[in-house]
Amino acid sequence: PAEATTESIPAEQYERVRGELEAVTAQLVEAYRRLFLRLPEAERSAFLAEMMSRGVRPAPEEPNGAARLPFKVRELAYDLATAEVVSARPLGPALVEAASLGLSDEQAQIRAKAAGLLAKLDASAVIDRVREALLVETQPAPAAEMLTVVARHPGESSRGIIASWLKKPNLPVAVRIAALDAVLSHQREFPFEDPEELDLVRATID
């Protein structure tokens, strides 16, 4: 038989199933939150890194890998990690690597949270991954956070990426500010000297 679609499922049944799935997801989120809070501080970083790693879509060649965590649970991992940073609790390098995996998540909100977390950590080991993600990013919220990471880790290969964002029309204020901050952070070691790039910077400031 043909695979069922939302169009072929009665609206009432669809809403009931969706409500049940949301309830199960909420319970899963709460279970992960409680488990995290019960862990000794020394074990929390590894736990969060595992959550983030399980947020990655399984590769086609590994169809039988660990089940992927739902969006709300993936979101929780980044929220908990950010709270740890704000509370000045140390997070290990394994978490930085795991957090960088979120830069390729299909949900813009996760990409933004992943980049926002990396902006608060030493992301030097994954800065190339941040640049690659920024190069293909299309949404303003993740882009602004990625530009902030790039600003904190200047490099010659970032200039063209920053300039490409400055070229985009109707940039939201948050992205424009982040891009200009990235320009300023590069000026000492990797200054923008190309006339076209300088024109872009002046136009953005104006």
Side-chain angles (χ1 to χ4, degrees):
E3 183 178 349
T5 64
T6 54
E7 289 79 7
S8 62
I9 300 175
E12 183 178 345
Q13 181 182 355
Y14 174 74
E15 290 300 325
R16 176 176 58 79
V17 172
R18 187 175 70 168
E20 291 174 354
L21 287 174
E22 289 177 351
V24 170
T25 300
Q27 292 173 4
L28 188 59
V29 167
E30 187 59 25
Y32 268 95
R33 187 192 306 277
R34 289 181 179 179
L35 179 56
F36 171 79
L37 293 175
R38 289 174 183 170
L39 288 173
E41 288 187 9
E43 298 178 16
R44 289 182 173 183
S45 181
F47 180 77
L48 291 173
E50 174 66 17
M51 286 180 68
M52 292 172 187
S53 297
R54 288 192 57 194
V56 178
R57 187 182 296 278
E61 63 271 17
E62 298 179 357
N64 298 319
R68 190 188 190 201
L69 295 177
F71 164 73
K72 287 293 184 181
V73 182
R74 304 201 306 274
E75 183 180 43
L76 174 67
Y78 291 98
D79 289 343
L80 290 174
T82 300
E84 290 291 286
V85 174
V86 172
S87 299
R89 298 189 184 100
L91 296 175
L95 187 131
V96 174
E97 173 67 24
S100 71
L101 300 175
L103 298 173
S104 59
D105 196 283
E106 73 275 14
Q107 296 285 346
Q109 190 171 348
I110 297 294
R111 299 197 301 274
K113 286 179 179 289
L117 175 60
L118 290 173
K120 297 176 176 63
L121 301 170
D122 179 4
S124 55
V126 296
I127 189 61
D128 286 341
R129 188 173 293 169
V130 177
R131 293 184 183 119
E132 291 169 4
L134 182 57
L135 192 60
V136 298
E137 183 56 64
T138 59
Q139 299 300 312
E145 298 289 1
M146 292 176 193
L147 282 164
T148 299
V149 181
V150 167
R152 296 183 179 181
H153 300 277
E156 187 170 359
S157 59
S158 296
R159 289 187 315 188
I161 302 172
I162 298 168
S164 70
W165 274 93
L166 291 175
K167 288 179 182 179
K168 296 181 185 294
N170 304 316
L171 273 182
V173 173
V175 181
R176 187 183 307 126
I177 292 173
L180 288 175
D181 185 44
V183 170
L184 292 174
S185 73
H186 282 67
Q187 283 305 97
R188 175 173 295 180
E189 295 182 69
F190 309 101
F192 285 69
E193 298 176 332
D194 181 271
E196 183 180 355
E197 292 178 347
L198 291 174
D199 287 343
L200 286 170
V201 173
R202 294 191 190 99
T204 305
I205 295 173
D206 294 339

